[in-house]
Amino acid sequence: MLEKEYQDRRRLACADLQARTWDGLVVSTPVNVRYLSGFTGSSAALVLEPGGQALLFTDPRYAIQAGEETGCRVRVVKGPLPTAVSRHLARRRLRRIGFENTRISFAAHQELSRGATLEPAETLIEDRRMIKSPAEIELIRQSMLVASRAYDRVIRAVRPGMTEAAVAAELDHQMRRLGAEGPAFPTIVAAGPRSALPHASPGPVALKANQLLLIDMGASRNGYASDMTRTVFLGRPAVKAGKMYRAVLEAQQAAIATVRDGVQAAAVERAARRRLRADGLDRAFVHSTGHGLGLEIHEAPRIGRRDKTLLRAGMVVTIEPGVYLEGYGGIRIEDTVAVTADGCEVLTPNSKELAAL
Ligand code: ZN
Ligand code: ZN
């Protein structure tokens, strides 16, 4: 990411401060610090002032790294960062301070409020992060390709007798080999009836012939997440599985066809549910249709039945309807898509035909 992009992001955040007549904003969530400064360390606080000044606090472990990663001024401090930030605010006579009320600890809040009046910033930075720049969309695309290739490499070797855990380990291994820092979230590999648990964690369970296998995975690459789910059948697909699969796939395609700039998130969910209802499966769809992603695997907006957020060009979201039948299994199909002015671009290139392994 070019330094210019970080400068632009800080300029927008500083304009938000001016509009609220705050004297400063303390950003203490590492992922938001990264978004505004480029610094990737886990110990960080960024103080922004309306005039555009930006000062990054970190501890001595990150002194070299901070110098390499950010164009902001850096202050390396020993001891708790909130204490150092609080002293800095007092010295600069900054009184009305925005803080990340949805993310900060109670102890940090107490420390920061010693000399300042704290104003909840709510999701100020998260709201900005919803709309991705072209450079960010490219990074998500690259992250998606890593996960996609790892999936294609591993899936052709999957056989009954392997365990869920072994398949998950192989997927994670291949993602790293292909350039990921690691998985974006714990990889899900769930076989047979366990695929009816939308967030099953892979265990020492051996895959059997003639059952469903659900794989939900994503890479983290250059900090950006990707997310995909494919469901396959071990053996020749049973009629029931084939019918369920068709319904989920058509629901997913209907949802994707609805995505474009200006559409309400809830409308996308309605499109998926309408198709599932035709097969009496909408009640087996127990989660929402999707979520934004970027520097985090789950970001705004959420795509659920009550979400009034308007989708905007530049948002990147997942579309992932699924149906789950207790005792039988679950089917979910998930792509990562980038919203455009007149539709969306599907970033997940993998086939969605029901594969028979
Ligand atoms: Zn997923
Ligand atoms: Zn997802």
Side-chain angles (χ1 to χ4, degrees):
M1 199 72 66
L2 297 172
E3 176 57 25
K4 165 91 169 55
E5 185 149 345
Y6 295 114
Q7 286 169 1
D8 289 344
R9 293 172 186 175
R10 290 197 294 273
R11 193 173 324 117
L12 288 170
C14 289
D16 288 339
L17 290 194
Q18 277 172 356
R20 288 167 170 76
T21 68
W22 292 345
D23 302 323
L25 172 68
V26 177
V27 181
S28 50
T29 308
V31 66
N32 286 342
V33 171
R34 177 176 191 161
Y35 180 74
L36 293 167
S37 73
F39 176 59
T40 64
S42 63
S43 158
L46 183 67
V47 179
L48 297 178
E49 293 181 36
Q53 302 91 324
L55 181 60
L56 176 76
F57 291 79
T58 188
D59 72 49
R61 293 173 299 164
Y62 290 112
I64 299 170
Q65 186 180 328
E68 289 170 352
E69 289 181 336
T70 181
C72 296
R73 278 203 303 137
V74 176
R75 184 161 302 164
V76 177
V77 295
K78 291 179 185 148
L81 297 191
T83 310
V85 169
S86 188
R87 283 200 198 113
H88 170 75
L89 297 176
R91 235 181 349 256
R92 299 268 308 155
R93 298 205 167 79
L94 305 175
R95 304 265 186 254
R96 285 189 73 207
I97 302 296
F99 79 109
E100 296 188 286
N101 55 302
T102 64
R103 306 256 206 173
I104 200 172
S105 75
F106 184 64
H109 176 271
Q110 283 184 310
E111 188 62 54
L112 288 177
S113 57
R114 274 175 202 281
T117 306
L118 296 186
E119 304 278 354
E122 302 298 342
T123 51
L124 187 71
I125 307 300
E126 286 82 356
D127 291 347
R128 292 277 183 201
R129 282 171 45 201
M130 271 201 277
I131 308 286
K132 273 68 183 177
S133 69
E136 288 185 288
I137 291 174
E138 190 50 37
L139 288 172
I140 296 171
R141 185 196 310 280
Q142 295 303 324
S143 172
M144 189 72 258
L145 286 179
V146 164
S148 158
R149 285 182 190 139
Y151 175 85
D152 281 343
R153 276 187 189 180
V154 172
I155 198 70
R156 54 175 91 107
V158 169
R159 296 285 176 273
M162 293 171 77
T163 64
E164 292 174 349
V167 175
E170 193 54 30
L171 290 165
D172 293 355
H173 175 71
Q174 289 298 336
M175 282 196 280
R176 275 193 185 267
R177 289 196 66 124
L178 288 160
E181 291 100 47
F185 56 91
T187 300
I188 296 171
V189 176
R194 287 171 44 76
S195 57
L197 284 63
H199 274 181
S201 67
V205 184
L207 312 185
K208 289 191 210 128
N210 302 314
Q211 58 175 205
L212 290 162
L213 177 68
L214 184 151
I215 295 177
D216 187 349
M217 61 185 289
S220 172
R221 186 168 192 268
N222 294 315
Y224 280 83
S226 50
D227 197 359
M228 63 178 276
T229 305
R230 290 293 181 268
T231 308
V232 301
F233 202 85
L234 295 164
R236 221 166 72 92
V239 174
K240 180 176 179 173
K243 200 164 172 292
M244 265 171 80
Y245 192 89
R246 176 100 343 238
V248 175
L249 179 57
E250 288 177 8
Q252 203 239 8
Q253 287 165 335
I256 288 176
T258 312
V259 173
R260 73 178 155 75
D261 183 89
V263 160
Q264 240 187 39
V268 178
E269 164 122 351
R270 274 200 300 277
R273 286 199 177 273
R274 199 177 303 128
R275 172 60 189 88
L276 292 174
R277 199 172 306 125
D279 277 25
L281 289 169
D282 55 317
R283 274 207 234 135
F285 176 22
V286 295
H287 51 75
S288 55
T289 299
H291 53 89
L293 84 181
L295 287 171
E296 291 177 290
I297 183 61
H298 291 116
E299 296 187 357
R302 214 177 81 98
I303 299 181
R305 63 177 107 191
R306 273 182 275 283
D307 291 293
K308 298 202 166 62
T309 317
L310 296 183
L311 298 183
R312 287 294 172 210
M315 288 182 175
V316 178
V317 298
T318 67
I319 301 293
E320 50 175 309
V323 297
Y324 309 91
L325 301 182
E326 192 178 351
Y328 180 70
I331 293 175
R332 177 165 68 252
I333 304 172
E334 174 180 32
D335 288 330
T336 295
V337 310
V339 183
T340 62
D342 51 5
C344 68
E345 185 196 351
V346 177
L347 302 179
T348 311
N350 307 68
S351 165
K352 289 189 273 195
E353 286 301 305
L354 176 54
L357 300 183

